[in-house]
């Protein structure tokens, strides 16, 4: 029987297997949303699907997979008129 450290080098541990599966699920959610969903929204979707996963774990996996959501854009701004005076 080979030592444990040799077995560990061959096959990934349970945590890495679960992370890989969860990363694939986050990729699918991110792709379905058109790249809009960030980690908080992906976490909420996973929670609604009754998956017990932490918000920081989702954030870590998304950053490792280089997935990021879009931040909401500002809805316009006020421009100063050319003849306006500053007080």
């Amino acid at each position: 029987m080979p030592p444990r450290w040799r077995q560990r080098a061959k096959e990934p541990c349970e945590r890495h297997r679960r992370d890989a599966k969860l990363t694939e699920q986050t990729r699918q959610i991110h792709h379905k949303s058109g790249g809009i969903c960030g980690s908080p929204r992906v976490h909420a979707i996973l929670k609604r699907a009754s998956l017990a996963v932490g918000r920081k774990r989702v954030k870590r996996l998304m950053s490792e997979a280089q997935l990021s959501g879009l931040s909401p854009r500002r809805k316009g701004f006020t421009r100063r008129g050319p003849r306006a005076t500053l007080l």
Side-chain angles (χ1 to χ4, degrees), residues 3-86:
R4 281 184 179 248
W5 61 270
R6 278 199 184 153
Q7 274 185 314
R8 250 186 270 144
K10 291 180 183 176
E11 58 189 52
C13 66
E14 181 68 26
R15 180 177 181 233
H16 290 294
R17 283 182 283 197
R18 278 189 265 140
D19 280 353
K21 186 178 177 182
L22 192 60
T23 302
E24 186 56 38
Q25 288 176 332
T26 55
R27 275 199 179 128
Q28 289 174 356
I29 293 169
H30 190 261
H31 180 70
K32 283 181 185 176
S33 72
I36 294 174
C37 288
S39 62
R41 194 171 291 169
V42 170
H43 176 256
I45 293 169
L46 291 172
K47 192 174 178 181
R48 254 187 276 139
S50 68
L51 282 172
V53 62
R55 134 187 94 77
K56 291 182 181 179
R57 186 177 187 186
V58 172
K59 186 175 182 178
R60 175 180 57 86
L61 292 175
M62 284 186 70
S63 65
E64 286 174 0
Q66 297 178 346
L67 301 173
S68 62
L70 294 176
S71 59
R73 293 190 179 139
R74 294 178 68 183
K75 298 218 175 164
F77 51 92
T78 306
R79 293 187 182 182
R80 187 166 47 108
R83 290 198 260 155
T85 58
L86 296 175

